[in-house]
Amino acid sequence: MNTRIQYSLALVIITASYTSCQKSNSEKVIDEEKMIIANKPEPSKKVEGMVWIPGGEFLMGTNEADAYDAEKPAVNLKVNGFWMDTHEVTNAEFKKFVDETGYVTVAEKKPEWEDLKQQLPPGTPKPDEALLVAGSMVFSPPHYAVPTQDISLWWVWVEGASWKNPEGPTSDLTGRESHPVVHIAYEDAKAFADWAGKRLPTENEWEFAARGGAEGKRFAWGDELTPNGQYLANTFQGNFPNDNENLDGFEGTSPVKSFAPNTFGLYDMIGNVWELTDDWYDALKYARLAGQAPKLDSNMKQCYNPDNPYAMERVIKGGSYLCADNYCVNYRPSARQGQAFDSGTSNVGFRLVKDVEGKAISMN
């Protein structure tokens, strides 16, 4: 990072995505209804590296008092069956894609001012052209406790940071081949999906799959974060952002399949890295579905984030290795945030889904 101007431009784009990470101290209220799993049998033709998600009816979102407003209220939805990757796309898998196609990610390209200014307040002056350089946002923890209202105290724009150089030009993927790929923008994930003959999941599909058939549970495995003292996902233990106690065995990302899968056979649906979905982010999505807010005029704008009215964001799900009890309790199936469609960070990745016989999935 060379200048305050360059840093500020990068930070503006992701700031709104993290404003919802302030934990509520209210008591939780769990809805005990159960998911209805469809009886449609698994297709006879299996897909390597994927598991069949049978679809069904479920309560999407939550009615918990101790949850963020963007997750409320819970609404009844249906999802048809689909195939889903058992784990997040890894560095090794993404490298194979790049080696075969020559693809260059967004983080490796010089930002274009005409694109950047679309997500900034009108009248924002254009910085010097020399300041617009390729790079990405990297988590850089301070060495002492800091206020958790200012994310610039732990997020740093690093010139040269990308999927193959996660912390910048002096870093590489040695020993991290089986870790989830990061610094991925939406168009990067979409390009990989097209190459793989798959697609990004909708938010509805993702949450249905993460719940694994269990409705009304705070976490993907039940109501306790660490049942019997066991860590079931890669999250942040200690005082965020400066003191990670690494009680789960990992300080940053972890190799995929490091923790037990859910009942559908999916690994890391909670923690490790946030996962991109195909949906535009709407902070009032569930309220609109429940008839508690007016419908979004998608002809004017496809997403809505009151904390960042110029946002163009996709929904990310599942939380990451940076979610902590004292700051960002997003390691839950219902948790959701917006991620700038043209930006990646060191804690956002993705996994893919596939339709049966190429047919699109209808959603209610």
mmCIF file with all atom_site columns, all heavy atoms in Angstrom, residues 304-316:
data_model
loop_
_atom_site.group_PDB
_atom_site.id
_atom_site.type_symbol
_atom_site.label_atom_id
_atom_site.label_alt_id
_atom_site.label_comp_id
_atom_site.label_asym_id
_atom_site.label_entity_id
_atom_site.label_seq_id
_atom_site.pdbx_PDB_ins_code
_atom_site.Cartn_x
_atom_site.Cartn_y
_atom_site.Cartn_z
_atom_site.occupancy
_atom_site.B_iso_or_equiv
_atom_site.pdbx_formal_charge
_atom_site.auth_seq_id
_atom_site.auth_comp_id
_atom_site.auth_asym_id
_atom_site.auth_atom_id
_atom_site.pdbx_PDB_model_num
ATOM 1   N N   . TYR A 1 304 ? -29.291 -3.819  -2.447  1.00 0.00 ? 304 TYR A N   1
ATOM 2   C CA  . TYR A 1 304 ? -29.636 -2.757  -1.510  1.00 0.00 ? 304 TYR A CA  1
ATOM 3   C C   . TYR A 1 304 ? -28.844 -2.953  -0.233  1.00 0.00 ? 304 TYR A C   1
ATOM 4   O O   . TYR A 1 304 ? -28.935 -3.988  0.425   1.00 0.00 ? 304 TYR A O   1
ATOM 5   C CB  . TYR A 1 304 ? -31.132 -2.780  -1.202  1.00 0.00 ? 304 TYR A CB  1
ATOM 6   C CG  . TYR A 1 304 ? -31.525 -1.829  -0.104  1.00 0.00 ? 304 TYR A CG  1
ATOM 7   C CD1 . TYR A 1 304 ? -31.553 -0.450  -0.326  1.00 0.00 ? 304 TYR A CD1 1
ATOM 8   C CD2 . TYR A 1 304 ? -31.861 -2.301  1.162   1.00 0.00 ? 304 TYR A CD2 1
ATOM 9   C CE1 . TYR A 1 304 ? -31.911 0.428   0.687   1.00 0.00 ? 304 TYR A CE1 1
ATOM 10  C CE2 . TYR A 1 304 ? -32.224 -1.431  2.186   1.00 0.00 ? 304 TYR A CE2 1
ATOM 11  C CZ  . TYR A 1 304 ? -32.246 -0.066  1.938   1.00 0.00 ? 304 TYR A CZ  1
ATOM 12  O OH  . TYR A 1 304 ? -32.591 0.806   2.940   1.00 0.00 ? 304 TYR A OH  1
ATOM 13  N N   . ASN A 1 305 ? -28.041 -1.949  0.117   1.00 0.00 ? 305 ASN A N   1
ATOM 14  C CA  . ASN A 1 305 ? -27.292 -1.941  1.358   1.00 0.00 ? 305 ASN A CA  1
ATOM 15  C C   . ASN A 1 305 ? -27.376 -0.530  1.934   1.00 0.00 ? 305 ASN A C   1
ATOM 16  O O   . ASN A 1 305 ? -26.736 0.382   1.424   1.00 0.00 ? 305 ASN A O   1
ATOM 17  C CB  . ASN A 1 305 ? -25.829 -2.328  1.119   1.00 0.00 ? 305 ASN A CB  1
ATOM 18  C CG  . ASN A 1 305 ? -25.041 -2.439  2.418   1.00 0.00 ? 305 ASN A CG  1
ATOM 19  O OD1 . ASN A 1 305 ? -25.442 -1.908  3.455   1.00 0.00 ? 305 ASN A OD1 1
ATOM 20  N ND2 . ASN A 1 305 ? -23.908 -3.123  2.374   1.00 0.00 ? 305 ASN A ND2 1
ATOM 21  N N   . PRO A 1 306 ? -28.197 -0.328  2.963   1.00 0.00 ? 306 PRO A N   1
ATOM 22  C CA  . PRO A 1 306 ? -28.378 1.021   3.500   1.00 0.00 ? 306 PRO A CA  1
ATOM 23  C C   . PRO A 1 306 ? -27.098 1.642   4.037   1.00 0.00 ? 306 PRO A C   1
ATOM 24  O O   . PRO A 1 306 ? -26.997 2.869   4.132   1.00 0.00 ? 306 PRO A O   1
ATOM 25  C CB  . PRO A 1 306 ? -29.418 0.823   4.609   1.00 0.00 ? 306 PRO A CB  1
ATOM 26  C CG  . PRO A 1 306 ? -29.287 -0.612  4.996   1.00 0.00 ? 306 PRO A CG  1
ATOM 27  C CD  . PRO A 1 306 ? -28.960 -1.329  3.720   1.00 0.00 ? 306 PRO A CD  1
ATOM 28  N N   . ASP A 1 307 ? -26.121 0.814   4.393   1.00 0.00 ? 307 ASP A N   1
ATOM 29  C CA  . ASP A 1 307 ? -24.844 1.328   4.888   1.00 0.00 ? 307 ASP A CA  1
ATOM 30  C C   . ASP A 1 307 ? -23.919 1.761   3.756   1.00 0.00 ? 307 ASP A C   1
ATOM 31  O O   . ASP A 1 307 ? -22.898 2.394   3.998   1.00 0.00 ? 307 ASP A O   1
ATOM 32  C CB  . ASP A 1 307 ? -24.138 0.267   5.743   1.00 0.00 ? 307 ASP A CB  1
ATOM 33  C CG  . ASP A 1 307 ? -24.938 -0.082  6.984   1.00 0.00 ? 307 ASP A CG  1
ATOM 34  O OD1 . ASP A 1 307 ? -25.419 0.856   7.652   1.00 0.00 ? 307 ASP A OD1 1
ATOM 35  O OD2 . ASP A 1 307 ? -25.091 -1.281  7.271   1.00 0.00 ? 307 ASP A OD2 1
ATOM 36  N N   . ASN A 1 308 ? -24.275 1.395   2.530   1.00 0.00 ? 308 ASN A N   1
ATOM 37  C CA  . ASN A 1 308 ? -23.462 1.762   1.373   1.00 0.00 ? 308 ASN A CA  1
ATOM 38  C C   . ASN A 1 308 ? -24.384 1.853   0.160   1.00 0.00 ? 308 ASN A C   1
ATOM 39  O O   . ASN A 1 308 ? -24.524 0.898   -0.598  1.00 0.00 ? 308 ASN A O   1
ATOM 40  C CB  . ASN A 1 308 ? -22.361 0.721   1.139   1.00 0.00 ? 308 ASN A CB  1
ATOM 41  C CG  . ASN A 1 308 ? -21.474 1.095   -0.031  1.00 0.00 ? 308 ASN A CG  1
ATOM 42  O OD1 . ASN A 1 308 ? -21.575 2.192   -0.585  1.00 0.00 ? 308 ASN A OD1 1
ATOM 43  N ND2 . ASN A 1 308 ? -20.596 0.186   -0.423  1.00 0.00 ? 308 ASN A ND2 1
ATOM 44  N N   . PRO A 1 309 ? -25.036 3.002   -0.020  1.00 0.00 ? 309 PRO A N   1
ATOM 45  C CA  . PRO A 1 309 ? -26.043 3.119   -1.078  1.00 0.00 ? 309 PRO A CA  1
ATOM 46  C C   . PRO A 1 309 ? -25.514 2.955   -2.495  1.00 0.00 ? 309 PRO A C   1
ATOM 47  O O   . PRO A 1 309 ? -26.289 2.755   -3.421  1.00 0.00 ? 309 PRO A O   1
ATOM 48  C CB  . PRO A 1 309 ? -26.597 4.539   -0.869  1.00 0.00 ? 309 PRO A CB  1
ATOM 49  C CG  . PRO A 1 309 ? -25.522 5.260   -0.134  1.00 0.00 ? 309 PRO A CG  1
ATOM 50  C CD  . PRO A 1 309 ? -24.888 4.235   0.751   1.00 0.00 ? 309 PRO A CD  1
ATOM 51  N N   . TYR A 1 310 ? -24.194 3.010   -2.681  1.00 0.00 ? 310 TYR A N   1
ATOM 52  C CA  . TYR A 1 310 ? -23.612 2.862   -4.014  1.00 0.00 ? 310 TYR A CA  1
ATOM 53  C C   . TYR A 1 310 ? -23.096 1.451   -4.250  1.00 0.00 ? 310 TYR A C   1
ATOM 54  O O   . TYR A 1 310 ? -22.447 1.172   -5.257  1.00 0.00 ? 310 TYR A O   1
ATOM 55  C CB  . TYR A 1 310 ? -22.484 3.873   -4.209  1.00 0.00 ? 310 TYR A CB  1
ATOM 56  C CG  . TYR A 1 310 ? -22.917 5.276   -3.878  1.00 0.00 ? 310 TYR A CG  1
ATOM 57  C CD1 . TYR A 1 310 ? -22.564 5.866   -2.668  1.00 0.00 ? 310 TYR A CD1 1
ATOM 58  C CD2 . TYR A 1 310 ? -23.730 6.001   -4.754  1.00 0.00 ? 310 TYR A CD2 1
ATOM 59  C CE1 . TYR A 1 310 ? -22.994 7.146   -2.343  1.00 0.00 ? 310 TYR A CE1 1
ATOM 60  C CE2 . TYR A 1 310 ? -24.163 7.273   -4.436  1.00 0.00 ? 310 TYR A CE2 1
ATOM 61  C CZ  . TYR A 1 310 ? -23.796 7.844   -3.231  1.00 0.00 ? 310 TYR A CZ  1
ATOM 62  O OH  . TYR A 1 310 ? -24.234 9.105   -2.909  1.00 0.00 ? 310 TYR A OH  1
ATOM 63  N N   . ALA A 1 311 ? -23.405 0.538   -3.326  1.00 0.00 ? 311 ALA A N   1
ATOM 64  C CA  . ALA A 1 311 ? -22.860 -0.812  -3.389  1.00 0.00 ? 311 ALA A CA  1
ATOM 65  C C   . ALA A 1 311 ? -23.375 -1.600  -4.581  1.00 0.00 ? 311 ALA A C   1
ATOM 66  O O   . ALA A 1 311 ? -24.512 -1.460  -5.007  1.00 0.00 ? 311 ALA A O   1
ATOM 67  C CB  . ALA A 1 311 ? -23.199 -1.567  -2.103  1.00 0.00 ? 311 ALA A CB  1
ATOM 68  N N   . MET A 1 312 ? -22.502 -2.426  -5.128  1.00 0.00 ? 312 MET A N   1
ATOM 69  C CA  . MET A 1 312 ? -22.853 -3.434  -6.123  1.00 0.00 ? 312 MET A CA  1
ATOM 70  C C   . MET A 1 312 ? -22.255 -4.733  -5.589  1.00 0.00 ? 312 MET A C   1
ATOM 71  O O   . MET A 1 312 ? -21.113 -5.074  -5.867  1.00 0.00 ? 312 MET A O   1
ATOM 72  C CB  . MET A 1 312 ? -22.289 -3.064  -7.495  1.00 0.00 ? 312 MET A CB  1
ATOM 73  C CG  . MET A 1 312 ? -22.875 -1.768  -8.063  1.00 0.00 ? 312 MET A CG  1
ATOM 74  S SD  . MET A 1 312 ? -22.035 -1.208  -9.572  1.00 0.00 ? 312 MET A SD  1
ATOM 75  C CE  . MET A 1 312 ? -22.415 -2.554  -10.691 1.00 0.00 ? 312 MET A CE  1
ATOM 76  N N   . GLU A 1 313 ? -23.045 -5.433  -4.781  1.00 0.00 ? 313 GLU A N   1
ATOM 77  C CA  . GLU A 1 313 ? -22.522 -6.542  -3.992  1.00 0.00 ? 313 GLU A CA  1
ATOM 78  C C   . GLU A 1 313 ? -23.250 -7.855  -4.262  1.00 0.00 ? 313 GLU A C   1
ATOM 79  O O   . GLU A 1 313 ? -24.446 -7.871  -4.530  1.00 0.00 ? 313 GLU A O   1
ATOM 80  C CB  . GLU A 1 313 ? -22.647 -6.220  -2.494  1.00 0.00 ? 313 GLU A CB  1
ATOM 81  C CG  . GLU A 1 313 ? -21.898 -4.973  -2.069  1.00 0.00 ? 313 GLU A CG  1
ATOM 82  C CD  . GLU A 1 313 ? -22.205 -4.561  -0.645  1.00 0.00 ? 313 GLU A CD  1
ATOM 83  O OE1 . GLU A 1 313 ? -23.317 -4.859  -0.148  1.00 0.00 ? 313 GLU A OE1 1
ATOM 84  O OE2 . GLU A 1 313 ? -21.336 -3.937  -0.020  1.00 0.00 ? 313 GLU A OE2 1
ATOM 85  N N   . ARG A 1 314 ? -22.511 -8.933  -4.153  1.00 0.00 ? 314 ARG A N   1
ATOM 86  C CA  . ARG A 1 314 ? -23.069 -10.279 -4.186  1.00 0.00 ? 314 ARG A CA  1
ATOM 87  C C   . ARG A 1 314 ? -23.122 -10.824 -2.765  1.00 0.00 ? 314 ARG A C   1
ATOM 88  O O   . ARG A 1 314 ? -22.322 -10.447 -1.903  1.00 0.00 ? 314 ARG A O   1
ATOM 89  C CB  . ARG A 1 314 ? -22.208 -11.196 -5.053  1.00 0.00 ? 314 ARG A CB  1
ATOM 90  C CG  . ARG A 1 314 ? -22.146 -10.784 -6.520  1.00 0.00 ? 314 ARG A CG  1
ATOM 91  C CD  . ARG A 1 314 ? -23.408 -11.131 -7.276  1.00 0.00 ? 314 ARG A CD  1
ATOM 92  N NE  . ARG A 1 314 ? -23.326 -10.720 -8.681  1.00 0.00 ? 314 ARG A NE  1
ATOM 93  C CZ  . ARG A 1 314 ? -24.231 -11.039 -9.607  1.00 0.00 ? 314 ARG A CZ  1
ATOM 94  N NH1 . ARG A 1 314 ? -25.278 -11.777 -9.283  1.00 0.00 ? 314 ARG A NH1 1
ATOM 95  N NH2 . ARG A 1 314 ? -24.099 -10.631 -10.857 1.00 0.00 ? 314 ARG A NH2 1
ATOM 96  N N   . VAL A 1 315 ? -24.043 -11.729 -2.509  1.00 0.00 ? 315 VAL A N   1
ATOM 97  C CA  . VAL A 1 315 ? -24.167 -12.335 -1.189  1.00 0.00 ? 315 VAL A CA  1
ATOM 98  C C   . VAL A 1 315 ? -23.030 -13.319 -0.959  1.00 0.00 ? 315 VAL A C   1
ATOM 99  O O   . VAL A 1 315 ? -22.705 -14.133 -1.830  1.00 0.00 ? 315 VAL A O   1
ATOM 100 C CB  . VAL A 1 315 ? -25.510 -13.077 -1.045  1.00 0.00 ? 315 VAL A CB  1
ATOM 101 C CG1 . VAL A 1 315 ? -25.585 -13.808 0.301   1.00 0.00 ? 315 VAL A CG1 1
ATOM 102 C CG2 . VAL A 1 315 ? -26.672 -12.102 -1.187  1.00 0.00 ? 315 VAL A CG2 1
ATOM 103 N N   . ILE A 1 316 ? -22.430 -13.242 0.229   1.00 0.00 ? 316 ILE A N   1
ATOM 104 C CA  . ILE A 1 316 ? -21.483 -14.260 0.667   1.00 0.00 ? 316 ILE A CA  1
ATOM 105 C C   . ILE A 1 316 ? -22.049 -14.914 1.916   1.00 0.00 ? 316 ILE A C   1
ATOM 106 O O   . ILE A 1 316 ? -22.786 -14.298 2.689   1.00 0.00 ? 316 ILE A O   1
ATOM 107 C CB  . ILE A 1 316 ? -20.067 -13.697 0.933   1.00 0.00 ? 316 ILE A CB  1
ATOM 108 C CG1 . ILE A 1 316 ? -20.112 -12.497 1.898   1.00 0.00 ? 316 ILE A CG1 1
ATOM 109 C CG2 . ILE A 1 316 ? -19.406 -13.309 -0.376  1.00 0.00 ? 316 ILE A CG2 1
ATOM 110 C CD1 . ILE A 1 316 ? -18.733 -11.973 2.279   1.00 0.00 ? 316 ILE A CD1 1
#
